[in-house]
Amino acid sequence: MSNLTRLSEFILLGLSSHPEDQKPLFVLFLIMYLVTVMGNLLIVLAIRSDPQLQNPMYFFLSVLSFADICYTTVIVPKMLVNFLSETKTISYNECLAQMYFFLAFGNMDSYLLAAMAIDRYVAICNPFHYVTVMNHRRCVLLLAAFTAFSYLHSLLHVLLVSRLTFCASNVIHHFFCDVNPILKLACSSTSVNRVVAMTEGLASVMAPFGCIVISYLRILIAVLKIPSAAGKRKAFSTCSSHLTVVTLFYGSISYVYFQPLSSYSVKDRIATVIYTVLTSMLNPFIYSLRNKDMKRGLEKLISRIKSQMDRLSTAKAKKICGP
């Protein structure tokens, strides 16, 4: 294929090239996407509607849930279309746009997890100053900084990819436009891209991860000083949900990105599903099933929705039957 710098489209190979796998995969990922959207939307609504959940931890959790909805929406709908399509194409501009928002929301997730770790550190290690340290203004400023950095980070990587020349193939061995699979298609030098990925890209991942590790080391030291076993269990229980999500998210990211570009394979595509789709889907369950306050807030929201639906059905019945 001749010079593809001005190509109009890429072909996304997807998770499987076998025709018999396409419909089962479509059903599976459609269910996962609907569960992700509904679950995270319920988390956002429960936090916004319950005055008892108006604190920094749940503020960051509501933003994380919203970011997870956006994160999966960037990838999964196009993926679902390609499962039922024979061509499985994505336009060049759409591919760059998908990469941009994927990197932006992925970074947002990473920094929000770091903010939640810092929040747990302050709550456990410095409880008397929690209200002043984690005040609403500071939380909003943190969120603004995270958002700005995430979008600038993704813009840098997309601009570097846009300058590449493609002259061998336009088939992306992945289910969305990720950086590494596209770099493998480039016939021009990708040395700048690799240097930026190993410096700025690595720093953008390791900075929030470092915050999480330091926060939990400080929490561990503080908890070990608590004399009673019940007190230790209570302190650890406030962190268990967050630690579970962090392990899933960073474990799969480390597997995919901390290896040579040449070794990128099918296993990496499966690992990518974990941090792009599976973690976002599991977040609502992890936080609601292992958190009493969140569970109570969801129960309140669901009962409120049911009562609203009952009122609507009663009003509709009255309207049909007449006075």
Side-chain angles (χ1 to χ4, degrees):
M1 195 172 290
S2 60
N3 190 339
L4 292 176
T5 307
R6 298 182 184 86
L7 83 167
S8 60
E9 62 186 23
F10 284 111
I11 297 170
L12 290 167
L13 198 60
L15 287 172
S16 172
S17 57
H18 301 297
E20 65 272 15
D21 294 337
Q22 304 308 306
K23 287 183 180 178
L25 285 170
F26 172 84
V27 173
L28 174 64
F29 279 90
L30 177 62
I31 292 168
M32 291 174 73
Y33 179 63
L34 293 174
V35 170
T36 300
V37 173
M38 291 301 297
N40 283 288
L41 188 60
L42 282 173
I43 292 284
V44 173
L45 293 173
I47 291 171
R48 295 300 179 193
S49 62
D50 192 343
Q52 291 181 317
L53 297 178
Q54 303 304 309
N55 63 48
M57 178 66 175
Y58 296 112
F59 167 74
F60 288 124
L61 177 57
S62 66
V63 180
L64 177 67
S65 295
F66 175 75
D68 279 341
I69 293 171
C70 298
Y71 192 40
T72 52
T73 301
V74 168
I75 299 167
V76 179
K78 183 62 180 177
M79 189 179 175
L80 293 173
V81 170
N82 284 346
F83 281 138
L84 301 180
S85 172
E86 291 184 7
T87 54
K88 303 184 188 301
T89 57
I90 183 169
S91 71
Y92 180 80
N93 290 332
E94 190 181 355
C95 185
L96 291 183
Q98 188 182 59
M99 185 192 300
Y100 176 79
F101 287 107
F102 162 74
L103 291 171
F105 288 117
N107 255 65
M108 277 292 293
D109 270 16
S110 183
Y111 279 96
L112 286 165
L113 289 172
M116 292 165 78
I118 294 167
D119 174 85
R120 290 301 83 203
Y121 159 69
V122 177
I124 293 170
C125 301
N126 205 357
F128 297 112
H129 295 92
Y130 179 75
V131 176
T132 54
V133 173
M134 299 300 294
N135 60 66
H136 184 69
R137 181 176 176 273
R138 192 163 292 171
C139 291
V140 172
L141 286 173
L142 272 174
L143 178 61
F146 297 158
T147 305
F149 183 82
S150 297
Y151 278 87
L152 288 172
H153 162 82
S154 59
L155 180 62
L156 172 63
H157 285 274
V158 169
L159 287 174
L160 288 173
V161 168
S162 68
R163 56 179 280 280
L164 296 175
T165 303
F166 302 93
C167 55
S169 171
N170 68 336
V171 179
I172 300 172
H173 292 264
H174 212 358
F175 57 88
F176 72 102
C177 292
D178 200 0
V179 177
N180 283 351
I182 289 182
L183 292 184
K184 287 185 75 173
L185 299 181
C187 58
S188 56
S189 174
T190 59
S191 57
V192 175
N193 301 71
R194 287 199 293 269
V195 168
V196 170
M198 292 304 295
T199 52
E200 187 274 343
L202 188 61
S204 70
V205 173
M206 294 308 296
F209 184 69
C211 286
I212 292 168
V213 171
I214 292 167
S215 297
Y216 276 108
L217 284 174
R218 299 290 294 272
I219 288 169
L220 180 63
I221 292 166
V223 169
L224 290 175
K225 291 178 182 178
I226 299 173
S228 68
K232 289 177 182 178
R233 279 196 301 272
K234 186 178 179 181
F236 276 127
S237 68
T238 64
C239 306
S240 60
S241 301
H242 183 255
L243 272 173
T244 305
V245 173
V246 167
T247 303
L248 276 171
F249 186 78
Y250 279 102
S252 53
I253 280 182
S254 301
Y255 179 83
V256 172
Y257 290 104
F258 294 164
Q259 60 177 311
L261 183 62
S262 58
S263 65
Y264 207 80
S265 64
V266 176
K267 289 182 180 179
D268 300 295
R269 283 183 252 168
I270 296 167
T272 305
V273 171
I274 296 173
Y275 73 84
T276 54
V277 183
L278 190 64
T279 305
S280 298
M281 185 186 74
L282 293 178
N283 277 359
F285 297 101
I286 293 168
Y287 281 108
S288 59
L289 294 176
R290 306 186 70 173
N291 186 305
K292 290 180 182 178
D293 293 335
M294 196 67 246
K295 196 183 292 186
R296 189 198 64 248
L298 283 169
E299 286 170 356
K300 282 183 181 178
L301 176 66
I302 291 167
S303 64
R304 200 177 297 127
I305 291 169
K306 282 182 179 177
S307 63
Q308 288 286 343
M309 289 176 70
D310 288 341
R311 281 198 211 106
L312 284 171
S313 60
T314 304
K316 192 175 181 181
K318 285 180 179 178
K319 191 175 180 181
I320 292 169
C321 298

